[in-house]
Amino acid sequence: MSTIVTAVKGIVLHDNRILIVQRAASDSGGGTWECPGGKIDFGEQPEDSLIREIREETGLTVTIDKIAYASSILTHPDRQVILLVYFCTAVTSSVTLSEEHDAYLWADESMIRQQIAPSILTAFERHQIFQQLVLT
């Protein structure tokens, strides 16, 4: 049986930096760097889900600015993830990680290019994320 999961991710900005988090070593995809976010719960609006997920994973309160892009990823031959990625702004830079992640960075573009998972970097480039942000 095939499964479709809908998830949200946030490109979280604060002081011209983007927050990236490293998946816990014990988790699937452990050690990879990504933007915070997660699955949308049944009945939840995508923006509400993202605010909740970012708060759960990082302790941050964010405001959602606009959608950055949507994509579809086959994570397994019978599992597809529909991903909605939003630009967000964090009120502070004070991060408190959940058990899902081992580390975080407030990264500039060069750090992101070095750290983030290749599939995410490819999506960022395809959707011209860095050009939209103009990080200094």
Side-chain angles (χ1 to χ4, degrees):
M1 186 171 113
S2 298
T3 303
I4 297 176
V5 175
T6 307
V8 286
K9 292 284 184 175
I11 299 171
V12 180
L13 296 162
H14 187 269
D15 285 341
N16 271 335
R17 296 290 184 265
I18 294 176
L19 178 65
I20 55 174
V21 291
Q22 186 178 38
R23 292 192 76 76
S26 59
D27 203 355
S28 67
T32 58
W33 289 86
E34 63 184 4
C35 294
K39 295 177 191 152
I40 298 175
D41 289 341
F42 182 81
E44 207 172 26
Q45 290 297 317
E47 295 86 356
D48 295 337
S49 176
L50 183 57
I51 290 168
R52 174 186 54 76
E53 283 285 348
I54 290 173
R55 188 178 315 113
E56 289 174 3
E57 292 183 1
T58 69
L60 291 173
T61 299
V62 297
T63 56
I64 295 177
D65 300 318
K66 66 178 182 175
I67 192 159
Y69 65 92
S71 66
S72 174
I73 306 159
L74 283 177
T75 58
H76 191 268
D78 61 354
R79 185 173 187 267
Q80 177 182 7
V81 176
I82 304 299
L83 192 59
L84 306 175
V85 181
Y86 291 85
F87 289 115
C88 307
T89 304
V91 176
T92 71
S93 62
S94 179
V95 173
T96 304
L97 290 176
S98 70
E99 293 179 3
E100 291 179 56
H101 298 96
D102 287 337
Y104 73 92
L105 281 173
W106 284 104
D108 62 17
E109 181 178 342
S110 66
M111 292 166 67
I112 290 169
R113 288 183 179 280
Q114 293 170 22
Q115 298 291 342
I116 207 157
S119 61
I120 300 170
L121 182 57
T122 299
F124 272 30
E125 289 174 341
R126 182 176 340 122
H127 298 286
Q128 300 181 331
I129 298 304
F130 296 119
Q131 292 89 329
Q132 292 182 61
L133 294 173
V134 190
L135 299 177
T136 56

